[in-house]
Amino acid sequence: MSTVGIVCEYNPFHKGHLYQIEQAKKLTGADHVVCFMSGNFLQRGIPALADKFTRAEAAVRCGVDVIFEIPFVYSTASARDYATAAVTMMDMSGAIDYISFGAETDDLSLLSQIAGIVENEPPQVSDSIRRSMASGMTYGAARAAAIVEYLQGKDIARKDCSNDSSSSPESNISSVMSSPNNILAIEYLAALKRIGSKIKPVIIKRLISDYNSSEAVHDICSASAIRSLLGNSDIKTIERHVPKECYRILNTNYRKTFPIFEDHMSSLLDAARLLYGRYDISSSLSSSGEIVDMDQDLYNRMSKIDSDMSFSDTAKALKSRNYTLTHIQRALLHYVMQLTKTDYDSYKSDGWIYYLRLIGLNARAGGIVKQIKKNSDIPVITKAPEAASKLSTTGKSMFGYDVKSTAIYNSLVCSAYGTKLKNEYEHTIPVINA
């Protein structure tokens, strides 16, 4: 029995995701698909369109066998930490043979070469990054430029990532480094190297739409395009882009618990700025430790802008050449959650992952869960109350952020639609026959 693992957000699950699952099973011959999915908040620092249990159910009904939740502290982290946490979860489960991920290029050799540079950064790359950041470039952009510069002039014969036979290897590398999916793919490969995992990578080349494309002219389009349709029209406009089972679930919950957007966070952000000391730094950052992704400069800038702006407008007002919009959104979310750097650093230094939280299960996959429970060095949590007896002190602390993030997400749903969702301790995971 073999298993392929997929790291995902499924925000929402669409036909491109279905294609990835089908291709991953075809290429690997895997019997089961186990997903490691972000919870109620995402890597870009915003809430998911639908709650994690709804998204998990949609994925299971569309072909996934088991879904574990990536802890909140990592699902809203930088690409490096997000990938490291997800790959570590797979490795610690003791039951994943392959990791499959989408990318704009399927040139595994090139991506692996770049991942090697990312993991064992040459001094000249480090120096280039420092110089670029000193001039105001963000870390991600600086690293990409440094790697392109490092590889220029080397004898690398690569596939043409741009489908233009006249383009140079250097321009191909630059194209690869500019794609969010490729960057995540590189981070997954770097994480595999970092932890010495034997899990084998399998790339599924993305079809038609780029990660951030807003076009929805084909049945398969990006999640960004689908979210844009939901924000500007009604749910009928997404029907052709998502599998039937997914559409049925989303349609049932439409304007009851879904969709949730970043600006549903606006009042919570405003309240956080009042509660945690908008004007007095000592009442927030100094007393509890620096907030993850929010340094002193960003905090000072936030304290000077209007507190009545929406979440998205606040993020845009704070954007500068030193901070990407995604970084700022994560900082604002972590400020609302009061995720401290002290806690975050302790989680990483003590072992990264302390539990596997089950949030979705297909009836046919009971055997793989039993295998994971047997092989894993960390506990599998199927019901939130189990955490008290199964987890270490550090694990309980991390799980506390998961519980808190669910409570906050549920409050967004209640405020938006008047619907009260079950909290972590009330929710049970249904075994779905699909």
Side-chain angles (χ1 to χ4, degrees):
M1 180 172 66
S2 62
T3 304
V4 59
I6 295 176
V7 184
C8 58
E9 291 185 330
Y10 292 155
N11 189 48
F13 190 98
H14 56 67
K15 289 183 178 178
H17 297 133
L18 184 62
Y19 172 81
Q20 181 192 10
I21 290 170
E22 292 169 346
Q23 289 298 304
K25 293 182 75 171
K26 179 181 178 180
L27 292 173
T28 63
D31 303 291
H32 293 291
V33 176
V34 178
C35 285
F36 297 78
M37 189 183 83
S38 301
N40 289 322
F41 293 89
L42 309 177
Q43 205 251 333
R44 288 174 295 121
I46 62 173
L49 281 174
D51 70 272
K52 63 187 180 185
F53 296 112
T54 296
R55 287 165 30 245
E57 180 185 353
V60 170
R61 293 195 180 278
C62 292
V64 173
D65 294 303
V66 181
I67 300 182
F68 293 108
E69 178 185 1
I70 301 173
F72 168 84
V73 299
Y74 300 128
S75 71
T76 60
S78 66
R80 176 187 171 91
D81 286 0
Y82 174 82
T84 300
V87 171
T88 300
M89 290 177 74
M90 288 189 189
D91 199 68
M92 294 183 79
S93 75
I96 306 298
D97 301 293
Y98 305 92
I99 176 174
S100 173
F101 44 83
E104 267 64 44
T105 176
D106 57 359
D107 188 348
L108 180 59
S109 178
L110 175 59
L111 293 178
S112 295
Q113 183 179 4
I114 296 173
I117 296 171
V118 167
E119 181 53 26
N120 297 294
E121 197 171 272
Q124 53 265 57
V125 171
S126 302
D127 291 342
S128 178
I129 292 173
R130 281 193 292 270
R131 289 194 303 271
S132 296
M133 291 183 69
S135 68
M137 192 179 289
T138 64
Y139 172 76
R143 188 181 69 169
I147 290 174
V148 170
E149 181 183 5
Y150 177 76
L151 290 175
Q152 280 180 344
K154 290 186 175 294
D155 183 18
I156 48 173
R158 297 297 172 207
K159 294 180 183 178
D160 190 347
C161 305
S162 63
N163 294 319
D164 177 4
S165 59
S166 65
S167 62
S168 66
E170 290 81 8
S171 66
N172 289 345
I173 296 167
S174 181
S175 175
V176 165
M177 294 297 294
S178 67
S179 163
N181 281 293
N182 289 339
I183 290 170
L184 263 180
I186 291 164
E187 293 294 356
Y188 294 140
L189 293 169
L192 290 171
K193 295 175 184 290
R194 191 175 307 125
I195 68 176
S197 176
K198 295 181 180 179
I199 297 173
K200 300 174 183 177
V202 176
I203 300 175
I204 309 297
K205 191 169 183 178
R206 286 176 61 87
L207 296 177
I208 302 172
S209 293
D210 290 335
Y211 175 85
N212 287 319
S213 172
S214 60
E215 295 184 353
V217 294
H218 303 281
D219 282 1
I220 293 180
C221 68
S222 71
S224 295
I226 294 173
R227 292 192 295 272
S228 180
L229 288 174
L230 283 168
N232 297 317
S233 188
D234 62 35
I235 193 169
K236 287 292 291 183
T237 59
I238 75 167
E239 186 171 9
R240 65 177 286 208
H241 304 297
V242 300
K244 288 182 179 179
E245 279 295 327
C246 179
Y247 181 77
R248 181 186 63 78
I249 292 169
L250 295 179
N251 192 38
T252 298
N253 291 285
Y254 186 58
R255 299 207 175 279
K256 296 176 183 175
T257 64
F258 144 93
I260 296 295
F261 296 102
E262 57 261 46
D263 280 347
H264 285 110
M265 289 278 295
S266 301
S267 60
L268 277 178
L269 176 60
D270 190 22
R273 293 175 65 183
L274 294 172
L275 287 170
Y276 304 139
R278 177 183 173 197
Y279 302 106
D280 182 3
I281 192 79
S282 66
S283 66
S284 178
L285 302 187
S286 297
S287 62
S288 60
E290 183 180 302
I291 300 298
V292 173
D293 288 316
M294 181 170 284
D295 58 22
Q296 188 75 47
D297 175 63
L298 189 55
Y299 181 88
N300 289 341
R301 294 177 60 208
M302 182 181 71
S303 70
K304 295 174 183 176
I305 65 174
D306 189 350
S307 64
D308 295 328
M309 290 192 296
S310 68
F311 185 93
S312 58
D313 284 343
T314 300
K316 290 173 186 174
L318 292 172
K319 191 177 184 307
S320 70
R321 65 179 188 173
N322 301 97
Y323 305 102
T324 64
L325 188 63
T326 297
H327 179 107
I328 292 168
Q329 289 172 168
R330 286 201 300 265
L332 295 177
L333 173 60
H334 293 155
Y335 185 70
V336 170
M337 281 286 296
Q338 289 289 282
L339 173 59
T340 67
K341 195 172 185 296
T342 300
D343 280 350
Y344 189 67
D345 289 347
S346 72
Y347 300 149
K348 294 196 295 181
S349 64
D350 289 345
W352 280 84
I353 299 296
Y354 307 91
Y355 54 86
L356 296 171
R357 168 73 161 119
L358 183 70
I359 59 172
L361 178 63
N362 193 309
R364 66 171 177 258
I368 191 67
V369 174
K370 288 181 181 178
Q371 181 183 340
I372 290 172
K373 286 182 176 179
K374 179 181 178 180
N375 295 344
S376 177
D377 293 329
I378 53 177
V380 174
I381 303 297
T382 57
K383 297 178 182 179
E386 297 172 350
S389 59
K390 287 187 174 183
L391 300 187
S392 65
T393 300
T394 305
K396 290 175 185 176
S397 174
M398 178 184 283
F399 190 73
Y401 282 108
D402 295 346
V403 173
K404 184 178 179 180
S405 68
T406 295
I408 286 178
Y409 189 91
N410 289 357
S411 75
L412 301 181
V413 171
C414 189
S415 178
Y417 302 113
T419 303
K420 184 177 181 181
L421 292 174
K422 292 180 179 179
N423 65 37
E424 286 283 0
Y425 293 94
E426 295 169 332
H427 210 288
T428 57
I429 308 303
V431 180
I432 297 169
N433 288 290

